[in-house]
Amino acid sequence: MMQSISMKVNPLYSDMDMSIQFHFEFSKGDCKVGEAMVSTYAMDNKVTYRKSQVGTQASIEKCAVIDRFDVVGELGEVSMKKLRHFMKVIGMKEVHCGYELNRESVGN
């Protein structure tokens, strides 16, 4: 089922809160079925140090907040899984929901 939903990601930079935001568009075939907006933030200045053959690297732990999530019908669960997987792949330590879930019924 996850393969039947495609996801397009558009990264944006917000000068106002100095964060990177991602706009997601979900489609099934040629039909758009929903979209989401996610903001990323540094987590309380937590820095992780990793040692490698090249030297020591510092990275700041980041989290994501889902600001908006609008997906049609039962496709919301699959779309949310794809979105959360993407956020984990790009290194988000935590993903939080800062939205009210908006799903339209297919029958309406």
Side-chain angles (χ1 to χ4, degrees):
M1 180 76 172
M2 268 180 83
Q3 287 80 18
S4 66
I5 301 292
S6 62
M7 181 174 74
K8 181 178 177 185
V9 183
N10 299 308
L12 311 161
Y13 179 73
S14 172
D15 284 329
M16 191 163 39
D17 57 3
M18 296 175 65
S19 69
I20 296 180
Q21 298 177 325
F22 294 93
H23 178 252
F24 294 86
E25 290 183 9
F26 302 100
S27 302
K28 186 169 184 173
D30 292 334
C31 184
K32 180 178 171 182
V33 296
E35 61 184 349
M37 185 68 85
V38 178
S39 299
T40 61
Y41 302 96
M43 293 176 60
D44 300 324
N45 297 324
K46 291 182 182 176
V47 179
T48 303
Y49 296 95
R50 290 187 183 177
K51 291 183 180 180
S52 67
Q53 293 175 347
V54 180
T56 303
Q57 284 184 312
S59 65
I60 298 172
E61 292 184 354
K62 295 184 179 181
C63 72
V65 176
I66 303 169
D67 300 314
R68 192 177 83 229
F69 186 81
D70 297 314
V71 177
V72 175
E74 72 269 354
L75 300 175
E77 188 175 334
V78 175
S79 300
M80 181 62 79
K81 281 184 182 179
K82 280 187 154 283
L83 185 152
R84 286 182 174 274
H85 176 74
F86 174 82
M87 298 315 283
K88 293 286 184 193
V89 167
I90 65 167
M92 295 299 115
K93 182 113 177 140
E94 299 175 7
V95 179
H96 301 280
C97 295
Y99 68 95
E100 289 187 28
L101 185 63
N102 294 316
R103 284 198 219 171
E104 297 175 15
S105 174
V106 176
N108 290 344

